[in-house]
Amino acid sequence: MANGAAGVGIMISEDQLKRVAAWSRELTEAEIEVARAGITERSYRTGETVFMRGDTFSYWAGMVSGLARMGGVSRDGKETSLAGLTAGAWFGEGSVLKNEPRRYDVVALRDSRVALMERSAFMWLFENSVGFNRFLVRQLNERLGQFIGMLEVNRTLDATARLARSIASLFNPILYPESTAHLEITQEEIGALSGMSRQNANRALNRLEKEGLLRLEYGGVTILDVERLRGYGD
């Protein structure tokens, strides 16, 4: 997607900002106005790229609705999934802070709506808002922990454990503040987020269901024991 096309949309209201961005609840009224004025929303169809590795994409992004996958493709063509992005998740702050090209791809796994904050508004908040900076520190710390954990999982655990940890990662209260016990997510989407085929994902999900960690339902999954999912395979 061309960088210039990203800003097409309508400025969001204060109520909408507070609904889609948990971090905005820490801002003053003046800071909220800066944030609101700098954000528009854009829709992405299933399979459409929000941004690609190497893009100069001058926006901080947050999922309003839908589902996206953060990842990349290696030189030998192998896809790597870094994280799932559900409603309420904001991402890309590192690239915005450093004003550098993106280091990974983000692709919509279903029809999604994304909030896009202009870099000028982001940097104003970074330079002036104590509440925004508290959020950024928590966000960056949690994201680092997520990626370190993913590296360990991919090197040492089997497919079922990798899928269990991938699902559990969607329940980090800092990165995914709007998560509920029921995930509206298909088994195919879980496979995509976990970096495995639908067939392998189905086998792993059935095993986790038999062990009482989750319940498979039409159009979604209900998590019964997120702590056991987080530690699965240890």
Side-chain angles (χ1 to χ4, degrees):
M1 184 193 68
N3 189 41
V8 177
I10 300 173
M11 186 172 70
I12 66 175
S13 68
E14 181 175 343
D15 287 344
Q16 174 73 345
L17 175 65
K18 290 181 178 180
R19 185 179 71 81
V20 304
W23 51 264
S24 68
R25 300 162 198 167
E26 300 186 43
L27 305 186
T28 66
E29 288 301 315
E31 292 163 357
I32 285 174
E33 285 305 302
V34 171
R36 191 175 71 84
I39 294 178
T40 54
E41 290 186 11
R42 180 178 172 86
S43 295
Y44 294 86
R45 297 183 298 275
T46 301
E48 190 173 0
T49 299
V50 179
F51 57 76
M52 296 179 63
R53 180 179 180 179
D55 276 357
T56 301
F57 185 83
S58 302
Y59 297 88
W60 187 41
M63 297 296 295
V64 176
S65 62
L67 178 70
R69 180 181 66 86
M70 178 190 296
V73 180
S74 66
R75 291 181 180 178
D76 60 3
K78 182 180 179 181
E79 287 191 353
T80 300
S81 293
L82 298 176
L85 300 166
T86 58
W90 286 75
F91 55 96
E93 57 279 346
S95 295
V96 176
L97 281 167
K98 291 182 284 187
N99 197 22
E100 67 177 15
R102 299 300 162 124
R103 294 179 175 269
Y104 47 82
D105 306 324
V106 170
V107 178
L109 294 181
R110 68 172 73 145
D111 289 351
S112 301
R113 194 154 181 84
V114 181
L116 300 168
M117 175 184 277
E118 296 174 356
R119 185 173 188 270
S120 58
F122 179 96
M123 292 307 298
W124 189 94
L125 290 169
F126 174 65
E127 292 166 357
N128 294 279
S129 172
V130 173
F132 189 68
N133 275 277
R134 281 198 299 261
F135 164 79
L136 281 181
V137 170
R138 294 195 302 269
Q139 173 93 346
L140 289 166
N141 186 55
E142 293 296 331
R143 187 71 75 192
L144 177 61
Q146 181 185 44
F147 288 163
I148 290 174
M150 181 199 67
L151 181 63
E152 178 186 13
V153 164
N154 286 340
R155 288 182 174 179
T156 62
L157 299 180
D158 64 15
T160 300
R162 292 200 306 272
L163 184 138
R165 302 290 185 94
S166 178
I167 294 173
S169 72
L170 298 178
F171 290 86
N172 182 303
I174 303 299
L175 300 176
Y176 308 97
E178 306 303 324
S179 294
T180 62
H182 179 76
L183 290 175
E184 293 185 0
I185 187 171
T186 67
Q187 295 183 31
E188 184 175 5
E189 290 167 342
I190 291 174
L193 294 180
S194 306
M196 62 180 66
S197 69
R198 179 176 179 175
Q199 183 179 18
N200 288 337
N202 287 349
R203 281 199 292 266
L205 285 167
N206 286 327
R207 179 176 172 182
L208 293 172
E209 183 176 42
K210 289 179 181 178
E211 294 183 25
L213 279 70
L214 52 80
R215 183 170 62 247
L216 300 177
E217 299 168 346
Y218 179 76
V221 176
T222 293
I223 306 306
L224 303 178
D225 195 332
V226 70
E227 291 304 322
R228 285 178 63 196
L229 285 173
R230 286 195 179 106
Y232 195 91
D234 285 347

